[in-house]
Amino acid sequence: MEATLRFEELLQSLPECSGPTRHPLRRAGEDLDYSKTGLDAFVAPNLSARPDVSSSGNTPSVIIISAAGAVGKTTLANELAYRKRTLLWNLAASQPVGQSSLSGTLLSVFGASQIAGIDSALRSGELFMVIDALDEGRVKTTQAGFEAFLSDLADYAKTGQRVRFVVLGRTQIAEYTWLFLEYAGVSATLYNLETFTRAKAEEYVSRRIQTAWPEAFQRITSHEQPFVEARDLVFDHLRKVITGEGDKGDDTAENFIGYAPVLDAVATLLAGETNYGELISRLENQISQLSDAKNSPVALLQTIVETILDREHTQKILTNLKRVLENDAKRAGWKDWQSLYGLDQQCKLLMSVMVGRPIELDTGLPAELRSKFEDHLKTWLPEHPFLRDGNRPANTVFESYLLARSLSNPSMGFQRDAEAFMADASYKPSQLVADFYLVLAEKNNADEVSARHIGLLYEALMSAETDTLKVTLSLEGSDPDDLNVEEETEGEFEFIYISEDPAGTVVGTRTFKTMMRPETRITFGRQLRDASIVVPCILVLGTNAQEFTIGPRVDARCRSLEINASLLLVASDKESRTRSHGDEADVVLEADSYSGSVSKPPVARGALRVSWPRAAAFPWTEVHAEIDKEILQDEHLRDAYRRFRRIVMTLRSHSRGQLARYRAKIEHSRVLQGPLGEALLAKLVDDGVLKLDGRVYVWVPGTADSVVGISWHDLRLGRSSETLNRYLRDFLGEVTLAPRGEM
């Protein structure tokens, strides 16, 4: 297949199926059925072949389609099944998958009388299936159950030269599925679902308006030029602010402009407008104020969302309700129309609908006006542009905005509701929640993130990962045994934009601060990978799930570690195509205390090392680390070793293959912890173990080998050496030791 595959070419490569005419269902349900209707607003996307993936055969038996969250996988799955008159299996609505799930589900929907014919048709390639929501299917089962499910697919797909399955999922699980099938001897091809080009984005907006708001489409058709000017103003500004950042280029601009939820928001804005000249003027004024925003595209998206809310206020209150109730309001001596159904009140009402809370109104209206307003509200709210069918978010943009606003604004009264909504296993994380959250924080002149929200924002950003975008997390607080009552911890989300050209890799960052107490809980509910964490509080992995997946590339040191899962799965780079260098893919967990529900030895596909009191006991016996006896028996040597290790572990891999870190990071009080650390850092520089290169400290491997006798990797695993112990003893003999408690 070609590097780029058009939707029409994909259709031509798939078998023609006979649908329910030849293979009628005995029972249909939400999980497996024929797709009976296509989408009127469907705009055919393109697929791009992964340059790092090759099929083991010219004609694949399985086509895997990957994309970040909310790009349009489910829409594509439905359209494929509809056009080819074949079966669509939605794993999000299915029972947990496992061994014989495929054959068992087919037997359930077709019945015993047809199962032999269905089995034969699927194995021969006469029939194929579309399987959507791989990631939801994985979340609802164990690793063993998911692998048994993939083994069943492999069994059906191994024979013949026709496509048996088209499966769709988010990037990580799609990569894992491809690797599993390849190892199982199945010819499989992995494609990316591309976001829309500018031309397709324009087509999408028009079709969306035509199908959802036909009256607005007729109005636009009659006055097309103002509509085009307003649409192009938004698109052109998005491109300008993205490419203007200078580090990610046109591809990122295309991706954001072509992101379906963004286009849905643009369509909603344009469809509800009657005066495009006024809209253009208002947008230009607002756009001019976004030049200093750290994330201008999302800031513009926020402007679009809030313009829709403001328009709802204007149309419902100032244009309609005020005219109807103005005389009643005058008699009651009330005239604060601007406060009614404003942005905050609409968001509260919409969140009430979204999370199923009773609607509570605090309008300040006199009693005689309140009941009339509530009567109108019963009509308005179900038809709000942020809602679909009156009871759920219309798209990811509106849902993400409401969640981010609720999380970042405790006065709304929905913070806990939003947290519970996002922690639910059925919720699909979206990058836009984190984007909106950080933009709202910036708008309030703050870069602080609540510690309770770090895990939620991390999962939101991880949902955006693709083969060309990777996300990492860093949390740098004081040492776990720091007795400060409250301290400020620095956090950083890093975005690595990977290019086929090694010199083209670009790194972007979003930094934040968070306040921590010893009892603060930082929770990661689904997974943790590509993370470096040092915090003086409680680190929680999992929320009472069967399994928690960690790794690759995780370093975590905390006061207390809590793992709420029956089994800890340690992922390796072999489970994705992304490879680290050396041994950086290991997982290291250290804590002053541990609690949890892990009842089985960890399944460690990657290297795992754990260290806490009584870690030698089951189920950690095989992965616990022994502490150097010499260090364990000497408190002063132990202090020096811990300070040395903290300094060195603060270094990060550099693009040129070096371990380095900015001077301010290394010299921070949380790293050096006073005179002992300051003196040790100076000695390391004097002895050439570290080199100060401008504003950056650099690890010098050759000197480190001879002077301290230990590698960065061994130090990362908590090891020491006779040479290092001797070096630290000599150092301690050179400095004046304060009482241990004062260091």
Side-chain angles (χ1 to χ4, degrees):
M1 292 187 180
E2 299 297 328
T4 298
L5 187 70
R6 294 185 296 111
F7 176 73
E8 293 76 12
E9 293 172 327
L10 174 61
L11 287 176
Q12 292 173 7
S13 71
L14 298 173
E16 293 292 337
C17 302
S18 304
T21 303
R22 181 171 180 182
H23 302 295
L25 300 179
R26 185 181 69 175
R27 70 98 181 152
E30 292 183 359
D31 55 345
L32 194 147
D33 197 355
Y34 291 107
S35 182
K36 298 179 179 62
T37 57
L39 184 67
D40 291 338
F42 180 76
V43 176
N46 289 335
L47 305 176
S48 59
R50 295 282 287 266
D52 52 349
V53 170
S54 61
S55 172
S56 57
N58 293 327
T59 303
S61 295
V62 181
I63 294 176
I64 304 166
I65 299 174
S66 77
V71 169
K73 296 182 294 295
T74 295
T75 299
L76 176 61
N78 183 79
E79 197 69 19
L80 280 174
Y82 171 69
R83 298 277 188 99
K84 304 304 289 190
R85 303 188 70 212
T86 195
L87 294 166
L88 173 59
W89 191 5
N90 178 12
L91 298 187
S94 173
Q95 294 295 315
V97 295
Q99 187 172 5
S100 302
S101 287
L102 175 57
S103 57
T105 301
L106 292 173
L107 176 62
S108 172
V109 299
F110 286 107
S113 62
Q114 292 192 83
I115 192 61
I118 292 295
D119 187 273
S120 175
L122 188 57
R123 291 183 184 277
S124 67
E126 176 189 334
L127 175 69
F128 82 99
M129 291 178 63
V130 179
I131 302 177
D132 187 29
L134 274 178
D135 32 309
E136 285 92 334
R138 172 61 185 92
V139 166
K140 293 194 295 185
T141 190
T142 63
Q143 180 79 6
F146 189 71
E147 290 181 352
F149 161 71
L150 293 181
S151 293
D152 283 351
L153 295 191
D155 181 58
Y156 276 86
K158 283 180 180 177
T159 58
Q161 295 295 317
R162 304 185 75 185
V163 176
R164 309 306 196 287
F165 303 100
V166 176
V167 296
L168 302 94
R170 295 192 179 189
T171 303
Q172 291 179 35
I173 196 64
E175 289 180 352
Y176 179 79
T177 298
W178 178 80
L179 282 165
F180 186 97
L181 294 176
E182 284 286 300
Y183 291 148
V186 175
S187 174
T189 300
L190 179 59
Y191 280 94
N192 285 335
L193 176 59
E194 295 182 353
T195 52
F196 293 123
T197 62
R198 172 67 177 264
K200 285 184 175 288
E202 293 174 0
E203 179 187 356
Y204 182 96
V205 169
S206 295
R207 287 199 180 188
R208 184 80 176 88
I209 295 173
Q210 183 179 10
T211 56
W213 302 279
E215 292 182 2
F217 185 75
Q218 290 181 0
R219 184 175 66 251
I220 289 168
T221 303
S222 303
H223 302 84
E224 187 173 6
Q225 187 58 35
F227 163 79
V228 170
E229 289 179 9
R231 181 200 66 199
D232 288 352
L233 173 67
V234 175
F235 283 176
D236 291 344
H237 180 69
L238 284 172
R239 172 172 290 282
K240 177 182 177 182
V241 297
I242 295 169
T243 57
E245 292 175 2
D247 59 358
K248 296 180 286 293
D250 288 348
D251 287 346
T252 301
E254 290 285 358
N255 288 342
F256 193 85
I257 295 171
Y259 185 43
V262 171
L263 299 177
D264 284 335
V266 172
T268 303
L269 172 73
L270 297 176
E273 193 58 51
T274 57
N275 187 334
Y276 287 110
E278 182 180 325
L279 174 64
I280 290 170
S281 177
R282 187 162 68 248
L283 285 176
E284 286 178 336
N285 180 58
Q286 292 170 327
I287 285 169
S288 67
Q289 301 174 33
L290 299 179
S291 57
D292 295 330
K294 293 179 183 177
N295 196 349
S296 296
V298 178
L300 175 57
L301 191 57
Q302 177 192 353
T303 295
I304 290 171
V305 170
E306 293 179 354
T307 298
I308 295 170
L309 291 170
D310 181 64
R311 187 174 64 205
E312 282 295 295
H313 163 76
T314 300
Q315 291 179 349
K316 299 298 190 295
I317 302 300
L318 302 184
T319 302
N320 296 320
L321 193 67
K322 182 178 179 181
R323 176 173 51 82
V324 174
L325 298 182
E326 191 161 24
N327 291 333
D328 291 341
K330 286 179 180 179
R331 285 193 294 271
W334 185 87
K335 57 181 179 181
D336 192 12
W337 297 100
Q338 288 295 339
S339 68
L340 202 59
Y341 208 55
L343 188 149
D344 286 339
Q345 191 176 89
Q346 287 183 66
C347 288
K348 291 178 182 179
L349 290 167
L350 292 164
M351 277 298 295
S352 295
V353 173
M354 202 164 96
V355 302
R357 258 177 60 173
I359 290 176
E360 299 177 0
L361 284 174
D362 181 19
T363 61
L365 279 168
E368 58 270 31
L369 293 176
R370 182 184 176 96
S371 62
K372 295 179 180 180
F373 170 69
E374 290 177 349
D375 287 341
H376 284 80
L377 190 62
K378 292 176 183 177
T379 301
W380 298 341
L381 196 56
E383 298 176 353
H384 197 285
F386 278 26
L387 296 177
R388 178 180 299 163
D389 301 327
N391 58 13
R392 57 195 174 100
N395 65 47
T396 302
V397 170
F398 300 148
E399 176 185 81
S400 298
Y401 175 82
L402 292 170
L403 289 171
R405 191 174 181 86
S406 299
L407 290 175
S408 61
N409 183 8
S411 64
M412 264 186 67
F414 285 87
Q415 192 174 69
R416 294 291 186 182
D417 297 276
E419 292 167 1
F421 188 93
M422 294 177 66
D424 189 273
S426 64
Y427 170 70
K428 296 182 181 180
S430 168
Q431 177 188 357
L432 287 170
V433 174
D435 288 338
F436 279 131
Y437 187 107
L438 296 171
V439 165
L440 288 166
E442 179 189 352
K443 190 174 182 179
N444 295 327
N445 296 316
D447 59 356
E448 187 168 327
V449 169
S450 169
R452 294 210 314 269
H453 300 156
I454 291 172
L456 296 175
L457 300 184
Y458 168 80
E459 290 178 353
L461 292 170
M462 289 290 287
S463 73
E465 283 201 333
T466 67
D467 63 316
T468 58
L469 171 61
K470 301 299 174 186
V471 179
T472 70
L473 168 66
S474 172
L475 282 176
E476 293 191 49
S478 296
D479 287 348
D481 61 349
D482 193 329
L483 299 180
N484 287 342
V485 175
E486 185 172 28
E487 72 122 30
E488 186 177 79
T489 294
E490 292 184 358
E492 180 178 89
F493 294 114
E494 185 177 70
F495 308 94
I496 304 170
Y497 299 89
I498 303 168
S499 170
E500 292 183 49
D501 177 2
T505 297
V506 173
V507 176
T509 60
R510 292 299 299 269
T511 59
F512 61 89
K513 293 181 174 62
T514 187
M515 301 304 295
M516 293 184 180
R517 297 176 178 270
E519 66 274 15
T520 296
R521 298 169 67 85
I522 301 174
T523 301
F524 296 90
R526 302 170 191 246
Q527 63 173 332
L528 182 63
R529 61 191 290 265
D530 295 303
S532 175
I533 299 172
V534 180
V535 289
C537 62
I538 305 167
L539 178 64
V540 182
L541 306 180
T543 52
N544 298 315
Q546 287 181 297
E547 300 171 344
F548 184 85
T549 302
I550 191 167
R553 296 174 295 278
V554 173
D555 283 283
R557 286 191 286 150
C558 58
R559 185 187 301 275
S560 179
L561 177 66
E562 185 178 311
I563 304 179
N564 297 316
S566 300
L567 180 65
L568 187 69
L569 293 173
V570 184
S572 75
D573 273 340
K574 293 179 181 179
E575 296 180 12
S576 75
R577 300 163 316 87
T578 304
R579 299 288 186 264
S580 66
H581 299 287
D583 297 304
E584 295 178 16
D586 295 343
V587 173
V588 181
L589 300 176
E590 300 179 12
D592 292 344
S593 65
Y594 164 79
S595 64
S597 54
V598 176
S599 57
K600 305 172 185 176
V603 176
R605 292 180 170 85
L608 170 67
R609 173 197 174 275
V610 304
S611 177
W612 52 72
R614 296 179 294 280
F618 183 86
W620 308 103
T621 310
E622 299 299 322
V623 295
H624 85 285
E626 295 284 353
I627 300 175
D628 185 285
K629 291 182 180 179
E630 187 177 358
I631 291 175
L632 191 62
Q633 294 169 359
D634 186 328
E635 62 180 16
H636 290 301
L637 181 60
R638 187 162 65 250
D639 285 340
Y641 174 78
R642 289 168 60 188
R643 201 51 38 218
F644 172 77
R645 187 167 180 243
R646 179 67 194 270
I647 290 170
V648 176
M649 297 323 307
T650 303
L651 302 170
R652 297 285 183 269
S653 295
H654 190 270
S655 60
R656 289 176 293 180
Q658 296 174 313
L659 286 163
R661 202 69 190 275
Y662 280 114
R663 180 175 185 173
K665 296 286 187 181
I666 299 292
E667 295 177 355
H668 199 285
S669 60
R670 74 169 62 90
V671 174
L672 300 182
Q673 294 280 300
L676 180 67
E678 293 166 3
L680 181 56
L681 176 62
K683 180 171 177 58
L684 291 171
V685 173
D686 288 343
D687 293 342
V689 177
L690 291 177
K691 178 177 67 175
L692 185 57
D693 185 1
R695 295 184 299 154
V696 176
Y697 282 104
V698 179
W699 175 257
V700 184
T703 305
D705 286 343
S706 60
V707 174
V708 295
I710 196 166
S711 68
W712 181 88
H713 171 64
D714 283 338
L715 196 63
R716 178 174 181 250
L717 297 178
R719 297 168 182 161
S720 187
S721 68
E722 291 184 10
T723 304
L724 176 59
N725 290 350
R726 185 169 55 252
Y727 180 87
L728 293 176
R729 284 192 181 280
D730 292 344
F731 161 72
L732 289 170
E734 297 171 2
V735 298
T736 302
L737 292 178
R740 185 170 182 271
E742 297 178 12
M743 287 185 184

